[in-house]
Amino acid sequence: MGSSSKKKKEKQKDFQKPKLKVGKAKAKPDNFTDTSFKSKSITLTQQSLTLHAPSTTHQFTHHVSLLNSKSDTQRRDSLAHLTTHLTSAPTSQPLPIPVSTLLPTLSPLILDASTTVRTQLLKLLRTLPPNDVEDHVASLMPYVRAGMTHLAADIRVTAVDVLSWLVEIAGEAVVSCAGGWIKTLNCFLSVLGWHTEESSKWSSNRAAFGKAGAKGKPMVKVLGVLAEFLEAGIGEDGDDGEMEVDESGTGTGGGFPIVQTDVHMVPKSAQPYVYLNLFGAPRDEEGEMYETREERFRVFKGRFLVPVERGLESARQDGGEVGRASSAVSKVLKEARGVDWEV
């Protein structure tokens, strides 16, 4: 029965007339957009409506503003343009933008996630006038220390390279600026894994540089920069601020009444009284300025000598390039203490 009734219904469909809807079409919504048409357009890349080309100063300023771009390629290309401009300009020609204005924009790039950007940044920094950079070392050092304690191994190595450049051009300013001695040494201990007794309870005793540190090359570089930093801070040539005294004890500058001439001359530094901290926030021991070799060596001997000795002994036992690099640090400490370095 079921099959016969089904066949009857199928036959009846052939004689049924479908009901067609007639009348107006369905109204289109108010936000309907007709996209059935096609248009042709011509696009010119890098088109400009100006009649005169921008000046080199305007281009320099424009690329400085592009350093905050979200694109890694754009930041790298802008740094390359700035580097080319500075290297091709005559030595006597002043910078389009003062170093005091340029460094606050360049400093955060030390922590950039792109390796190519950091590499190009280091090339640009090396083209800046050393005398102008020396007056602004204190503003660069916080970013360098942040990079030395960064989680990424590549950024730590880049920060060490920047510190090496700073010590090379302005070693005295690096070790004597506010926080430049104790805080930087703490960063070195963190990078190398030579921690103090307090931090050794939760930190490992080995430095980790990721895949790049498999052969120990970053470790060798950090030890070399540490030797340069200690040489600038407590080395034999660190007594730049002391005045030579002749046999009569009157100081350089001839006999009476011309005595202690250097004290009465115009200071060579841009901020001769910054150590007084007249308008800054109160400083603790780590943020204090240590301008003489004796002060720096006293602090180093009391807080860092023991962990550095322990780390150098471990590096010497490793041998190879790391062991040879540790000998440079040992040599600086030997000359600073004036006694034989026992290992």
Side-chain angles (χ1 to χ4, degrees):
M1 294 295 292
S3 60
S4 60
S5 61
K6 183 177 181 181
K7 291 180 180 179
K8 290 181 180 180
K9 290 181 179 180
E10 291 179 354
K11 290 180 180 180
Q12 291 177 358
K13 288 182 179 180
D14 297 336
F15 301 97
Q16 290 179 355
K17 184 178 180 180
K19 295 181 179 180
L20 301 178
K21 294 182 179 180
V22 295
K24 296 182 179 180
K26 184 179 179 180
K28 297 179 180 180
D30 296 337
N31 58 351
F32 174 76
T33 303
D34 186 10
T35 58
S36 60
F37 64 91
K38 295 182 179 180
S39 63
K40 295 182 179 180
S41 62
I42 299 176
T43 304
L44 300 177
T45 59
Q46 298 180 354
Q47 57 182 343
S48 177
L49 301 179
T50 58
L51 300 178
H52 303 284
S55 61
T56 56
T57 303
H58 183 271
Q59 291 180 356
F60 191 92
T61 307
H62 174 66
H63 281 280
V64 170
S65 64
L66 292 178
L67 295 179
N68 297 324
S69 174
K70 295 182 179 180
S71 173
D72 299 345
T73 305
Q74 182 63 67
R75 296 196 300 272
R76 182 199 62 195
D77 294 343
S78 297
L79 289 171
H81 175 84
L82 298 177
T83 305
T84 304
H85 178 85
L86 294 180
T87 53
S88 60
T91 309
S92 58
Q93 181 178 353
L95 298 179
I97 297 179
V99 175
S100 58
T101 307
L102 188 60
L103 283 181
T105 306
L106 298 178
S107 300
L109 296 179
I110 298 176
L111 309 176
D112 197 280
S114 175
T115 304
T116 57
V117 172
R118 298 194 308 272
T119 303
Q120 193 63 45
L121 171 66
L122 189 58
K123 294 179 181 179
L124 175 60
L125 291 176
R126 294 185 182 277
T127 61
L128 297 178
N131 295 333
D132 296 343
V133 177
E134 185 176 359
D135 296 333
H136 304 283
V137 168
S139 62
L140 268 173
M141 288 303 296
Y143 292 95
V144 173
R145 291 193 292 266
M148 293 176 67
T149 56
H150 201 275
L151 294 177
D154 295 340
I155 296 180
R156 293 200 298 268
V157 175
T158 302
V160 171
D161 290 335
V162 175
L163 180 60
S164 176
W165 164 72
L166 284 176
V167 172
E168 179 183 353
I169 64 172
E172 183 66 23
V174 171
V175 297
S176 61
C177 68
W181 184 242
I182 295 182
K183 290 184 178 180
T184 308
L185 285 174
N186 281 327
C187 293
F188 269 114
L189 294 183
S190 176
V191 172
L192 294 170
W194 301 349
H195 301 281
T196 57
E197 295 180 359
E198 292 79 5
S199 59
S200 62
K201 297 178 182 178
W202 53 267
S203 301
S204 61
N205 294 326
R206 288 285 182 178
F209 293 98
K211 296 181 180 180
K215 298 182 180 180
K217 292 183 179 180
M219 185 76 169
V220 174
K221 180 183 296 185
V222 175
L223 286 173
V225 178
L226 176 60
E228 297 173 359
F229 182 78
L230 292 177
E231 179 67 26
I234 59 177
E236 292 183 346
D237 297 333
D239 298 331
D240 297 336
E242 294 185 359
M243 182 177 57
E244 298 180 0
V245 180
D246 54 16
E247 297 179 356
S248 61
T250 57
T252 58
F256 181 83
I258 306 176
V259 294
Q260 298 182 349
T261 309
D262 296 340
V263 179
H264 304 285
M265 298 296 290
V266 177
K268 297 180 180 179
S269 61
Q271 298 176 340
Y273 303 108
V274 67
Y275 67 94
L276 297 176
N277 194 26
L278 298 176
F279 306 103
R283 299 171 181 162
D284 53 1
E285 185 180 4
E286 293 185 356
E288 194 59 51
M289 298 178 63
Y290 300 95
E291 296 186 317
T292 63
R293 174 188 177 276
E294 287 74 13
E295 292 178 350
R296 292 192 289 265
F297 184 75
R298 174 180 54 81
V299 173
F300 178 82
K301 184 178 180 181
R303 301 186 59 168
F304 302 102
L305 183 58
V306 174
V308 169
E309 285 179 347
R310 185 171 59 247
L312 289 176
E313 177 64 22
S314 176
R316 187 184 66 84
Q317 293 177 359
D318 292 341
E321 295 183 2
V322 176
R324 288 191 293 270
S326 64
S327 62
V329 183
S330 302
K331 181 180 179 181
V332 175
L333 295 180
K334 176 182 177 181
E335 295 175 353
R337 297 194 305 179
V339 296
D340 293 336
W341 178 246
E342 299 178 358
V343 292

